[in-house]
Amino acid sequence: MDGRRDLLIIGGGLVGMTLALAAARKGFSSHVVDRADPAELTAEGFDGRASAISTASWNLFTNIGIADALEPFASPIASIAVTDQARPGRLDFQPEPHEGSLGRMFANRQLRLALFEAAEKDDLITWHSKAEVTHRERGEHGVSVTLGDGQSLSASLMVAAEGRGSPTRAEAGLVVAKWDYQHRAIIAGLTHEKPHDQVAWEIFYPAGPFALLPMRDTADGKHSSAMVWTVDEKDAAGVLKLGERAFLAEVEKRMGGVFGTVDSVGPRSSFPLGFHHTARITEHRLALIGDAAHGIHPIAGQGLNLGLRDVGALVEVIEEGRLIGLEPGDAQLLKRYERWRGLDSFMVALATDGLTRLFGIPSKSASAVRRLGMAGVQRAPILKRWFMDEARGMSGDLPELLRA
């Protein structure tokens, strides 16, 4: 049996590995078990996904020591523009000069590289990659798993960070409320004629949002953005099969000319969109984080940031417990984590679901009402401030690691 650790983290993706690093910065040791091959996950062209890292999440990366490694690859989000089908009534969000950006865009590959490199150097993190969990056990005095090669790992607390289809969550019998939006997100990198000026665009169509997210210019100086195009599930296969010229024409039509001509599009990938939320995010010596606990529509780019708030809260709870002699798997600590994160994540999930349904109403009158409402928000500084604080992740009861 490998030595006992404080945490047994099942899932070594962006959220799981961030938890391992954040816990290590506070002196907690962990086993991280992941079935994936890190070499594949960090290979050029593995996938075209990019993530918006909010101000609060950037504070977390700064506090755990990976911000310096990431900064050269960051593309700041200076403002956000929201429109209904590119019609009049645009809504703009721009922070005050002293607040910096609304967030930073990164290719997921760069996030993985920074996290994996930091984890490999940390003696408090034992990383088991390309490993399958064949048995889980949560006992009175600790937790353990058996891996496919027969190795047994033990800890005080088990953390499920495996994503939406978490087998650890399923085995624990935690109830999940979920539904399918019958939408698919098509993701690709674009190069285009005009500079994006660090503006993130969210253009709403009845089939779903069409997002353009500012990325760093390419090595040869071409302007670049990440595209997330939501289509009806029934249309997705046809859109993905379009030839490059036809695909570019469809993309340009939805962009409404904001970046001029689209010069090229990178490899396309897609994933189905759905909602899920667990009724509880803890069980005996078990905590859920990230998509294992809650899966939301990418309409506001908050999915990863929501998981990083879980990380900050869980680390703070177990650190405070240690001060009074409690181990990480103590039921009192898990109850506090449940209270802290359960309501916040549920409210964010409801808000994104509501926006998805509101902007999905196809009639002209609904569009007119939406644009009227957007115009009202545009003229209401207090409302705009609230929306910007939410986008930056700076609202609510923030864990210490997510503060500046």
Side-chain angles (χ1 to χ4, degrees):
M1 177 178 285
D2 202 312
R4 179 177 166 117
R5 301 289 189 266
D6 295 307
L7 306 179
L8 175 51
I9 303 168
I10 307 179
L14 297 178
V15 176
M17 200 58 84
T18 302
L19 173 62
L21 284 165
R25 297 300 180 264
K26 299 295 185 179
F28 293 102
S29 60
S30 62
H31 286 298
V32 180
V33 182
D34 194 83
R35 67 177 63 179
D37 181 348
E40 292 181 4
L41 294 177
T42 55
E44 288 277 7
F46 170 71
D47 69 23
R49 295 194 190 190
S51 294
I53 299 301
S54 70
T55 302
S57 296
W58 185 249
N59 291 339
L60 172 61
F61 286 163
T62 300
N63 289 328
I64 66 173
I66 64 170
D68 287 346
L70 284 169
E71 189 67 81
F73 305 99
S75 180
I77 301 173
S79 63
I80 299 173
V82 182
T83 75
D84 189 294
Q85 302 174 64
R87 293 172 176 166
R90 169 175 157 179
L91 180 56
D92 294 288
F93 297 103
Q94 190 166 6
E96 297 296 329
H98 69 276
E99 294 175 322
S101 68
L102 287 171
R104 291 166 171 80
M105 288 299 305
F106 291 96
N108 280 9
R109 174 178 177 269
Q110 293 297 340
L111 295 174
R112 293 190 194 101
L113 280 169
L115 289 166
F116 292 174
E117 288 172 5
E120 284 180 331
K121 298 174 185 175
D122 200 307
D123 293 337
L124 288 174
I125 299 172
T126 307
W127 185 8
H128 309 266
S129 61
K130 297 184 286 185
E132 288 284 348
V133 175
T134 59
H135 179 72
R136 300 167 182 81
E137 188 168 334
R138 292 180 289 114
E140 198 61 36
H141 303 292
V143 299
S144 64
V145 296
T146 304
L147 305 184
D149 62 2
Q151 186 178 186
S152 182
L153 312 175
S154 65
S156 172
L157 173 66
M158 185 180 294
V159 182
E162 304 138 306
R164 292 181 178 235
S166 169
T168 303
R169 180 191 67 213
E171 189 176 291
L174 291 167
V175 177
V176 183
K178 60 182 178 179
W179 50 82
D180 189 338
Y181 288 115
Q182 296 297 311
H183 287 166
R184 183 166 286 266
I186 298 175
I187 299 167
L190 308 175
T191 61
H192 40 79
E193 175 191 4
K194 298 179 182 178
H196 48 56
D197 296 325
Q198 308 304 142
V199 179
W201 284 81
E202 193 91 44
I203 306 170
F204 287 96
Y205 291 97
F210 182 92
L212 295 165
L213 306 166
M215 302 297 289
R216 292 175 65 86
D217 287 353
T218 62
D220 55 359
K222 291 184 177 179
H223 307 306
S224 177
S225 294
M227 178 199 74
V228 183
W229 175 9
T230 302
V231 300
D232 283 328
E233 186 66 64
K234 60 182 174 57
D235 300 326
V239 173
L240 288 166
K241 288 178 182 176
L242 288 174
E244 183 162 346
R245 182 175 297 180
F247 188 80
L248 284 176
E250 290 296 324
V251 168
E252 282 192 3
K253 182 167 68 175
R254 281 159 181 79
M255 286 172 63
V258 293
F259 295 156
T261 303
V262 178
D263 299 318
S264 67
V265 58
R268 304 168 215 170
S269 61
S270 71
F271 62 93
L273 299 179
F275 172 101
H276 75 262
H277 194 89
T278 55
R280 294 181 54 205
I281 59 172
T282 62
E283 246 295 343
H284 175 67
R285 289 191 178 271
L286 172 65
L288 309 185
I289 62 171
D291 283 355
H294 37 69
I296 63 176
H297 196 287
I299 190 170
Q302 291 301 307
L304 174 57
N305 294 301
L306 202 57
L308 296 178
R309 286 170 80 105
D310 295 342
V311 166
L314 184 57
V315 170
E316 186 165 322
V317 164
I318 64 174
E319 183 187 22
E320 290 181 354
R322 179 174 58 188
L323 296 176
I324 56 174
L326 300 179
E327 59 172 327
D330 189 276
Q332 298 177 62
L333 303 184
L334 294 180
K335 187 175 181 180
R336 184 178 171 220
Y337 172 67
E338 174 89 45
R339 286 198 307 266
W340 192 349
R341 294 302 304 140
L343 180 60
D344 176 60
S345 60
F346 184 59
M347 295 306 292
V348 172
L350 281 183
T352 56
D353 182 69
L355 283 172
T356 301
R357 297 179 187 281
L358 173 65
F359 281 92
I361 301 172
S363 70
K364 290 183 178 179
S365 58
S367 175
V369 171
R370 286 192 297 264
R371 287 184 286 120
L372 182 64
M374 289 163 62
V377 174
Q378 181 79 340
R379 295 190 296 269
I382 294 176
L383 272 177
K384 289 185 74 173
R385 165 54 50 196
W386 183 83
F387 280 118
M388 281 192 289
D389 285 345
E390 288 291 318
R392 296 173 64 233
M394 299 303 290
S395 61
D397 185 9
L398 273 185
E400 179 191 9
L401 280 171
L402 275 74
R403 300 177 203 150

